[in-house]
Amino acid sequence: MAQEDVFKKIVSHCKEYGFVFPSSDIYDGLGAVYDYGQNGVELKNNIKQYWWKSMVLLHENIVGLDAAIFMHPTVWKASGHVDAFNDPLIDNRDSKKRYRADVLIEEQIAKYEEKIDKEVAKAAKRFGDNFDEAQFRATNGRVLEAQAKRDALHQRYSDAMNAMDLDELKQIILDEEIVCPISGTRNWTDVRQFNLMFKTEVGSTAEGASTIYLRPETAQGIFVNYLNVQKTGRMKLPFGIAQIGKAFRNEIVARQFIFRMREFEQMEMQFFVKPGTELDWFKSWKQTRLAWHQALGFGNENYRFHDHEKLAHYANAASDIEFRLPFGFKEIEGIHSRTNYDLSQHAKFSGRKIEYFDPETNESYTPYVIETSIGVDRMFLSVMCHSYEEEKLDNGETRVVLRLPAALAPVKLAILPLVKKDGLPEKAHEILNDLKFHFNCKYEEKDSIGKRYRRQDAIGTPYCITVDHDTLKDNCVTLRDRDTMKQERVPIDSLCSLLEDKVSLTSLLKKIQ
Ligand code: GAP
């Protein structure tokens, strides 16, 4: 099945099974805004718990914070967002559709890369075991031609972005003959800058309302609280502050479901270090964060680092963790060495001294910062995409199964009485009332047992138990494993200890310890 079709299926599965709904669905939705349903909110909360515990519980020197979304407007002047948090946009006059000029060009670069990959795949098939990929890439005429075009375009694009040369961006789009996917024409407007921050007003008009912004990142809430946390927590460098919260960006191109949203959630951690040590910490956080992802068992080959060539003016290193989604490798998380830029800017704009007194050297300095920043929604999407499977069974049927890591699954255990009579529902409720204190259980009695298993497979429930007539005599139930579909008879009083280890976050966290 084409990857595009797989993705469409995942999107409709998310809606059908209560994971993600379009916002204001009865009004036909709102662009790039989504609601999480009864199963989605559980999965999302589990992802957040996995991240929070890995940061705050497993590190003695990382503490949490929950800063407000609204902040003093000067914060965004100091951080540079008012002046520079822009995307270059371009309109097609025929379709009246708006695009990000940089995205149009990046897609063109990706087309050259796809062409090369296709040539390589074709040759690999033709030559089989004797295929020498490196030699093929270095010598094949068609590959070399596509590579040269890709490299030249990439260079021209990087130069234009570095200089924020909007005319040159438009010229690249014209020279590459990029057409609007809707109208198919090249009738483009000039490229303009567009600030991504949402504005609103605080205070009544009579008192003199002032413009404030919905935060476009949670990080600034951490920077402005650096002194508060460091002093009240008596924190010693190096230390980190972690935060999970909503962020808002008026994205021009809203596509790919929850990959790019206008209201989304971030999990960010700012790690404050002694100047000069930041690049060692940057390296170490890259590995720590990669290990966090890999512990989920989605296959190490599905992750890669993308080290930034073009660095923001305040950064001295930056790298993305990319994950293979149905539409290619995409950024899920950013790790940035942000120097002392943010703290220095806030010191300048607030007039406050924002420094650290180092008791070991008896000197004061502005700490440097390593940031790890991951989108909850992108993480959610990567978990869904990797877990969704249409499995062909031996009997010729197909089942849809979400192979979610058990610790992230919305429901850990479904409790199913075989029939709705003979005291089986009562027995099942007895088990539920005991186990619900340990993990999320779901009781279901409607439909045949086969249909109920399928429904649980589709929402990723790792275990089901069936309460049957024998249960009333022997106090045992049939335990079914989602992935293998194997069934075994187990005593009810062993269920808690048997399952807790498999479904709790603790076992996942132990893998990264
Ligand atoms: N404080 C740094 C920062 O915000 P970023 O690379 O702009 O850096 C970090 O964003 C992460 O936030 C991204 O890797 C992505 O996972 C998520 N993210 C950014 N924009 C998003 C959007 N419009 N929709 C969903 N997630 C987004």
Side-chain angles (χ1 to χ4, degrees):
M1 199 188 311
Q3 289 301 294
E4 216 171 277
D5 296 333
V6 174
F7 191 57
K8 278 192 193 144
K9 288 200 168 188
I10 293 167
V11 175
S12 59
H13 189 87
C14 278
K15 182 164 183 195
E16 193 181 339
Y17 286 92
F19 283 92
V20 183
F21 306 127
S23 157
S24 328
D25 203 10
I26 55 169
Y27 293 97
D28 295 332
L30 177 69
V33 186
Y34 291 89
D35 297 340
Y36 286 83
Q38 66 279 15
N39 289 316
V41 67
E42 297 290 344
L43 171 55
K44 199 177 181 207
N45 281 342
N46 291 338
I47 291 172
K48 290 196 271 186
Q49 277 296 303
Y50 177 39
W51 184 87
W52 185 263
K53 290 189 170 173
S54 75
M55 288 291 178
V56 179
L57 255 68
L58 300 192
H59 292 95
E60 278 176 43
N61 56 350
I62 298 183
V63 293
L65 179 78
D66 185 14
I69 288 171
F70 290 148
M71 300 180 75
H72 193 287
T74 312
V75 166
W76 305 110
K77 192 78 193 146
S79 66
H81 285 82
V82 170
D83 297 320
F85 195 51
N86 299 323
D87 275 344
L89 69 86
I90 189 165
D91 293 287
N92 182 271
R93 290 197 186 91
D94 299 322
S95 66
K96 311 268 181 286
K97 288 277 170 204
R98 181 161 286 177
Y99 299 91
R100 268 175 61 178
D102 55 333
V103 171
L104 287 178
I105 299 171
E106 278 170 15
E107 284 172 354
Q108 182 72 1
I109 294 173
K111 277 189 190 153
Y112 288 122
E113 288 166 354
E114 274 164 33
K115 197 170 170 200
I116 296 169
D117 289 345
K118 269 193 193 145
E119 291 291 345
V120 172
K122 244 176 22 197
K125 209 168 161 192
R126 190 156 17 108
F127 294 113
D129 288 347
N130 297 329
F131 183 56
D132 181 343
E133 184 177 327
Q135 198 197 355
F136 181 78
R137 281 180 183 271
T139 53
N140 179 271
R142 277 189 300 273
V143 169
L144 289 176
E145 192 190 334
Q147 187 69 46
K149 281 189 183 159
R150 182 244 167 243
D151 292 347
L153 174 57
H154 185 262
Q155 189 56 52
R156 204 176 155 199
Y157 165 64
S158 297
D159 293 346
M161 287 298 282
N162 281 332
M164 252 313 145
D165 184 341
L166 303 183
D167 292 339
E168 172 67 351
L169 286 176
K170 178 172 180 186
Q171 198 53 50
I172 295 175
I173 289 171
L174 296 178
D175 292 349
E176 287 290 324
E177 303 185 344
I178 296 173
V179 296
C180 164
I182 308 289
S183 66
T185 71
R186 283 179 248 149
N187 192 4
W188 297 110
T189 62
D190 287 342
V191 178
R192 303 186 302 287
Q193 288 287 30
F194 177 78
N195 192 286
L196 298 183
M197 281 198 295
F198 284 103
K199 280 185 203 164
T200 187
E201 309 250 288
V202 70
S204 72
T205 333
E207 289 162 4
S210 62
T211 300
I212 56 166
Y213 300 94
L214 295 189
R215 65 180 179 202
E217 61 171 13
T218 59
Q220 298 303 324
I222 298 181
F223 292 126
V224 300
N225 276 294
Y226 159 80
L227 281 181
N228 285 338
V229 174
Q230 194 270 321
K231 293 214 163 104
T232 58
R234 300 153 64 94
M235 307 300 290
K236 286 208 165 62
L237 247 54
F239 76 91
I241 304 178
Q243 175 168 225
I244 300 179
K246 288 268 176 143
F248 304 83
R249 296 182 190 179
N250 196 0
E251 297 284 359
I252 304 163
V253 183
R255 266 187 312 170
Q256 288 155 336
F257 192 37
I258 54 171
F259 184 78
R260 196 174 299 285
M261 302 161 87
R262 297 202 165 105
E263 173 179 341
F264 58 101
E265 220 168 342
Q266 289 185 315
M267 305 189 278
E268 297 200 297
M269 194 277 300
Q270 311 294 326
F271 199 69
F272 301 94
V273 303
K274 188 175 177 175
T277 64
E278 72 277 8
L279 291 179
D280 288 337
W281 281 113
F282 172 71
K283 264 196 221 149
S284 133
W285 274 109
K286 270 175 74 174
Q287 292 315 322
T288 306
R289 293 303 306 144
L290 184 64
W292 182 89
H293 288 275
Q294 289 176 341
L296 291 169
F298 294 163
N300 294 0
E301 69 286 0
N302 291 317
Y303 299 93
R304 69 181 189 196
F305 282 119
H306 168 232
D307 294 326
H308 290 208
E309 292 160 34
K310 177 190 174 235
L311 292 172
H313 58 282
Y314 52 78
N316 63 6
S319 186
D320 298 332
I321 294 180
E322 295 184 338
F323 182 71
R324 196 198 301 269
L325 288 169
F327 42 93
F329 271 99
K330 295 286 168 195
E331 173 193 341
I332 303 294
E333 170 157 7
I335 297 140
H336 313 120
S337 175
R338 292 179 77 130
T339 67
N340 60 0
Y341 177 80
D342 300 272
L343 291 183
S344 303
Q345 284 292 98
H346 288 306
K348 191 167 122 194
F349 280 74
S350 67
R352 301 282 291 274
K353 195 168 157 198
I354 306 182
E355 289 187 343
Y356 175 75
F357 175 73
D358 191 331
E360 279 168 23
T361 59
N362 270 344
E363 46 172 354
S364 289
Y365 48 76
T366 310
Y368 272 44
V369 174
I370 305 302
E371 163 182 82
T372 72
S373 173
I374 170 170
V376 179
D377 312 270
R378 283 197 193 171
M379 189 59 205
F380 185 108
L381 185 61
S382 63
V383 170
M384 285 303 277
C385 288
H386 191 276
S387 303
Y388 180 89
E389 191 184 325
E390 290 178 15
E391 186 187 21
K392 271 251 168 294
L393 302 176
D394 293 342
N395 63 6
E397 283 178 19
T398 305
R399 70 161 179 157
V400 172
V401 53
L402 268 191
R403 296 191 192 278
L404 296 172
L408 300 187
V411 177
K412 311 298 186 200
L413 180 71
I415 301 174
L416 317 172
L418 190 62
V419 288
K420 272 193 271 182
K421 53 183 187 181
D422 304 338
L424 302 189
E426 290 75 10
K427 185 72 184 169
H429 271 112
E430 207 180 282
I431 302 173
L432 173 73
N433 286 335
D434 180 27
L435 293 181
K436 71 183 179 189
F437 294 99
H438 301 273
F439 34 78
N440 199 354
C441 302
K442 191 170 170 64
Y443 173 85
E444 269 220 309
E445 58 177 26
K446 201 167 167 285
D447 291 328
S448 71
I449 199 76
K451 274 195 184 155
R452 279 180 275 168
Y453 281 156
R454 289 287 174 276
R455 265 206 305 274
Q456 295 304 320
D457 289 344
I459 64 164
T461 305
Y463 297 100
C464 293
I465 52 168
T466 311
V467 177
D468 56 25
H469 292 93
D470 287 342
T471 308
L472 302 179
K473 292 178 231 146
D474 63 7
N475 256 336
C476 290
V477 288
T478 306
L479 177 70
R480 173 190 182 263
D481 182 298
R482 174 196 69 198
D483 294 336
T484 60
M485 294 193 291
K486 289 224 168 85
Q487 303 190 4
E488 58 173 328
R489 202 77 188 153
V490 296
I492 293 170
D493 57 13
S494 72
L495 276 173
C496 192
S497 57
L498 196 74
L499 296 185
E500 194 147 58
D501 210 32
K502 298 188 206 269
V503 301
S504 75
L505 268 181
T506 312
S507 45
L508 194 52
L509 289 166
K510 278 187 179 158
K511 285 194 199 167
I512 55 171
Q513 198 28 341

